[in-house]
């Protein structure tokens, strides 16, 4: 079995963080999350990190791997060479709680403000008969609220007040399918210097999103909608 | 929770670690934008020579035809071309058009910029040199 | 604000291209001599065109400066002052540019 070298960012708020190297033996079919869990289980129980589902649906295990935002549970070890070092650091632009752990509540609060529903009723299967014992078919939204896009965004780096790619994508998603929701409120939320207009099209959110949300395109559609809305109000005399 | 110092946040957009084409395009856009603003101020300042009469201006033009100035001229053109062409890219992307092709568009912008700068540089040195 | 940045940017695409081409390539010997400039600006269409260019670049450039300064973590209060400050700078630049062009133009008459 190959031995992998991991360099993890360690430390707690209040002291300056340092990089520490660990070695773990694992087959090449394993994933980065397995390596980090093994370090936690066998070498250091104080290691802070987050995970739950192990299959890219809870969004808990986002980190930066060699500088790039990834989900640990779908980052295969075979991508790396046992001779090299896999450097793992916490996401940027979130309050740091220690080791690989960050506080994602600022993003979660914004998503809640939008009223983003993670689970929706599935309309594709709406007119089909339900299987025995199943009450309703639901569908997950693409966005798993992992925060990778926020960490990758250079505007987020500079502006804490920026709504951020995930939230703007959520607003656009809600507007596309409002289901009786308050679209005017969402548009006001987006139409802000720190909202849809703050984006500088660095395109990093779409590049790192593990779930094909494509926040960059969503922000573009949101802007188009805001422009049309403005023109309509302007021509229609403030209606 | 560790507070990130303000200066560090403010310089976040410069940090290219882990970034790809889009991040690089944004950084270059900003740097060329800043360069152009500085140029604009210098340019308008120099234009005051026009108000001082023919001698002052024509002396300046004679100096501006030195190879050093012409080279700087080339640099200016490089900056303008990148900023302008990427400006078109960013405007489209910002409206959600062509996002899946953004990296290819970036390399296209780069190639066009270099090509057009080379042509312009050739023209400058043959006409003015 | 972004939309104005993009809009003025696209206008500049035309205005600046013409500016560069006229100043470099059309005139014999490359850069204009004093006489060339005066003659050039004497034409009313050119004059209007150049003033339009002046206004649009100034607006685009200063909006751009604000966008960059916003990333220094400026709050809404400071931003209000920043906007006022930049507007004054912009008016100053435009005033200077118009005065200068007018003055040059008057030399040709
Ligand atoms: C020639 C045609 C031009 C086009 C098509 C253009 C286009 C653009 C666009 C679309 C942006 C927004 C970028 C973003 O959202 O990040 C921008 C930003 C900017 N432009 Fe231009 N521009 C042009 C010329 C100029 C000139 C002549 C100047 C300076 C005198 C200038 C200075 C700036 C600055 C300072 C920014 C802000 C950069 C930032 O926010 O990072 N631009 N330009
Ligand atoms: C190296 C290339 C350039 C040359 C040789 C050049 C030359 C000149 C000359 C001779 C004038 C005065 C006559 C006229 O209005 O045409 C002028 C004016 C002007 N230039 Fe340029 N220019 C160059 C590049 C630029 C660039 C890149 C910008 C924008 C950032 C710019 C902005 C302006 C403005 C705004 C005016 C009008 C000033 C006024 O109305 O008083 N120029 N330029
Ligand atoms: S948009 Fe993509 S990268 Fe951003 S939080 Fe949602 S799933 Fe993660
Ligand atoms: S552990 Fe759930 S997304 Fe990785």
């Amino acid at each position: 079995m190959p031995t992998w070298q991991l360099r993890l960012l360690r430390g707690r708020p209040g002291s300056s963080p340092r990089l520490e190297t660990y070695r773990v033996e694992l087959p090449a079919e394993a994933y980065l999350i397995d390596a980090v869990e093994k370090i936690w289980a066998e070498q250091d129980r104080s290691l802070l990190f987050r995970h739950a589902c192990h299959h890219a649906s809870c969004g808990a295990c986002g980190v930066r791997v060699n500088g790039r935002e990834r989900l640990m549970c779908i980052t295969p070890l075979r991508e790396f060479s046992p001779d090299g070092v896999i450097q793992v650091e916490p996401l940027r632009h979130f309050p740091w709680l220690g080791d690989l752990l960050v506080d994602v509540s600022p993003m979660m609060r914004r998503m809640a403000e939008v009223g983003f529903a993670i689970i929706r009723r599935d309309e594709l299967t709406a007119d089909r008969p339900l299987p025995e014992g199943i009450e309703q078919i639901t569908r997950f939204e693409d966005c798993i609220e992992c925060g990778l896009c926020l960490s990758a965004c250079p505007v987020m780096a500079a502006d804490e007040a920026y709504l951020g790619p995930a939230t703007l994508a959520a607003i656009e998603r809600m507007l596309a399918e409002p289901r009786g929701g308050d679209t005017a409120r969402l548009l006001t939320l987006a139409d802000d210097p720190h909202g849809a207009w703050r984006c500088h099209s660095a395109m990093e959110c779409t590049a790192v999103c593990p779930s094909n949300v494509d926040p960059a395109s969503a922000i573009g559609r949101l802007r188009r909608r805001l422009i049309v809305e403005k023109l309509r109000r302007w021509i229609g005399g403030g209606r | 929770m560790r507070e990130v110092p303000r200066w560090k946040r403010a310089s976040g957009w410069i940090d290219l670690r882990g970034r790809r084409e889009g991040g690089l395009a944004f950084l270059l856009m900003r740097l060329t934008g800043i360069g152009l603003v500085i140029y604009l101020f210098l340019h308008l300042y120099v234009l005051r020579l026009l108000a001082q009469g023919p001698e002052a201006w024509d002396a300046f033009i004679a100096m501006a035809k030195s190879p050093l100035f012409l080279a700087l001229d080339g640099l200016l053109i490089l900056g303008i071309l990148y900023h302008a062409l990427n400006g078109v890219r960013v405007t489209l992307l910002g409206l959600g058009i062509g996002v899946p092709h953004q990296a290819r568009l970036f390399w296209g912008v780069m190639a066009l910029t270099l090509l057009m700068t080379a042509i312009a540089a050739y023209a400058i040195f043959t006409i003015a040199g | 604000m972004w939309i104005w940045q993009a809009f003025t940017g696209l206008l500049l695409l035309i205005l600046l291209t013409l500016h560069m081409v006229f100043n470099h390539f059309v005139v014999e010997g490359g850069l204009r001599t004093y006489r060339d400039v005066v003659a050039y600006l004497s034409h009313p269409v050119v004059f209007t065109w150049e003033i339009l260019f002046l206004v649009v670049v100034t607006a685009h450039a200063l909006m751009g400066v604000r966008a960059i300064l916003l990333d220094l973590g400026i709050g809404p209060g400071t931003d209000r002052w920043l906007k006022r400050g930049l507007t004054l700078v912009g008016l100053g630049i435009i005033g200077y540019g118009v005065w200068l062009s007018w003055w040059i133009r008057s030399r040709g008459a």
Side-chain angles (χ1 to χ4, degrees):
Chain A
M1 242 189 322
T3 302
W4 308 88
Q5 285 188 69
L6 275 78
R7 194 149 64 201
L8 309 184
L9 184 130
R10 298 298 313 266
R12 294 288 182 273
S15 63
S16 41
R18 60 202 180 277
L19 289 165
E20 272 175 31
T21 308
Y22 301 82
R23 284 157 194 288
V24 272
E25 249 184 54
L26 274 173
E29 294 72 43
Y31 287 81
L32 185 57
I33 189 77
D34 303 319
V36 170
E37 279 182 332
K38 203 162 179 215
I39 292 170
W40 169 79
E42 296 172 0
Q43 301 182 36
D44 187 349
R45 285 262 166 177
S46 74
L47 177 63
L48 291 174
F49 64 105
R50 228 161 58 103
H51 75 87
C53 70
H54 282 208
H55 56 241
S57 66
C58 71
C61 65
V63 289
R64 282 186 297 143
V65 183
N66 295 340
R68 190 117 188 112
E69 285 76 8
R70 308 283 296 267
L71 295 176
M72 288 193 279
C73 64
I74 52 168
T75 302
L77 288 180
R78 76 181 111 75
E79 231 180 69
F80 308 93
S81 142
D83 307 324
V85 178
I86 311 171
Q87 182 159 318
V88 188
E89 296 163 89
L91 294 181
R92 294 186 283 199
H93 319 146
F94 288 101
W96 183 54
L97 296 177
D99 299 341
L100 305 179
L101 189 66
V102 294
D103 174 10
V104 292
S105 56
M107 177 183 71
M108 294 305 184
R109 268 198 296 275
R110 282 186 187 145
M111 295 300 254
E113 200 184 332
V114 173
F116 190 57
I118 301 174
I119 299 173
R120 287 162 182 267
R121 218 195 219 109
D122 187 27
E123 48 287 283
L124 296 175
T125 53
D127 44 0
R128 281 188 217 156
L130 290 172
E132 183 72 40
I134 304 279
E135 274 176 32
Q136 184 192 95
I137 291 178
T138 51
R139 170 168 66 78
F140 285 103
E141 274 300 341
D142 284 341
C143 178
I144 57 174
E145 302 179 315
C146 60
L148 298 197
C149 53
L150 274 75
S151 175
C153 174
V155 176
M156 209 67 225
D159 182 8
E160 279 176 88
Y162 180 38
L163 279 181
T167 312
L168 289 168
I171 292 177
E172 200 271 337
R173 184 73 190 87
M174 296 290 283
L175 286 171
E177 227 179 301
R179 298 163 196 243
D182 185 355
T183 52
R185 188 184 69 89
L186 291 173
L187 284 170
T188 318
L189 206 56
D191 187 15
D192 186 274
H194 297 285
W197 305 115
R198 197 73 177 80
C199 166
H200 281 283
S201 306
M203 301 284 121
E204 295 286 359
C205 51
T206 291
V208 296
C209 177
S211 203
N212 287 324
V213 175
D214 191 1
S217 295
I219 293 171
R221 287 194 295 273
L222 197 50
R223 280 177 172 173
R224 293 213 295 264
R225 167 124 187 202
L226 286 170
I227 293 168
V228 169
E229 211 74 33
K230 263 184 203 190
L231 285 177
R232 198 176 288 154
R233 222 172 315 143
W234 190 47
I235 295 165
R239 241 177 309 131
Chain B
M1 274 188 263
R2 191 178 57 154
E3 275 299 310
V4 183
R6 212 180 221 206
W7 65 267
K8 218 168 168 181
R9 264 207 105 99
S11 61
W13 59 269
I14 299 173
D15 190 354
L16 271 185
R17 278 172 304 167
R19 302 281 67 87
R20 288 192 185 168
E21 290 90 346
L24 178 61
F26 167 62
L27 183 70
L28 291 177
M29 187 69 179
R30 203 157 252 201
L31 295 180
T32 51
I34 294 170
L36 283 171
V37 172
I38 295 171
Y39 176 79
L40 179 63
F41 278 86
L42 283 177
H43 185 51
L44 292 177
Y45 180 68
V46 165
L47 287 179
R48 93 200 182 287
L49 293 176
L50 281 170
Q52 292 173 3
E55 299 79 23
W57 179 256
D58 289 338
F60 170 73
I61 286 298
M63 184 177 75
K65 285 186 177 173
S66 72
L68 175 67
F69 260 77
L70 291 182
L72 288 176
D73 220 18
L75 190 66
L76 176 69
I77 289 176
L78 181 73
I80 291 176
L81 281 174
Y82 174 77
H83 189 92
L85 293 172
N86 191 53
V88 177
R89 170 180 169 272
V90 163
T91 305
L92 293 174
L93 295 176
L95 294 173
I97 301 164
V99 171
H101 308 293
Q102 61 92 5
R104 241 164 298 147
L105 285 171
F106 170 70
W107 294 118
V109 163
M110 285 306 240
L112 257 182
T113 301
L114 293 178
L115 181 72
M116 288 168 73
T117 305
I119 296 174
Y122 176 76
I124 290 172
F125 278 97
T126 45
I127 296 178
Chain C
M1 217 45 150
W2 178 85
I3 196 71
W4 290 112
Q5 188 85 38
F7 182 65
T8 52
L10 293 184
L11 281 180
L12 279 179
L13 204 56
I14 308 167
L15 294 165
L16 185 60
T17 309
L18 287 178
H19 182 75
M20 294 299 280
V21 168
F22 278 130
N23 273 303
H24 271 107
F25 305 127
V26 177
V27 193
E28 202 177 326
L31 306 174
R32 287 161 192 277
T33 62
Y34 186 78
R35 210 150 21 90
D36 292 332
V37 175
V38 173
Y40 177 66
L41 275 185
S42 303
H43 196 293
V45 174
V46 171
F47 182 78
T48 319
W49 188 254
E50 284 292 332
I51 296 298
L52 180 67
F53 173 51
L54 171 74
V55 172
V56 177
V57 220
T58 310
H60 180 88
L62 295 181
M63 284 190 297
V65 169
R66 172 172 169 266
I68 294 170
L69 290 180
L70 268 187
D71 279 359
L72 300 179
I74 281 172
T78 324
D79 185 33
R80 208 157 333 136
W81 283 107
L82 179 66
K83 273 192 205 156
R84 282 178 201 158
L86 287 177
T87 310
L88 278 183
V89 172
L91 290 177
I93 292 180
I94 294 172
Y96 164 79
V98 170
W99 166 79
L100 188 67
S101 319
W102 194 262
W103 199 90
I104 296 166
R105 195 178 166 213
S106 66
R107 298 323 304 290

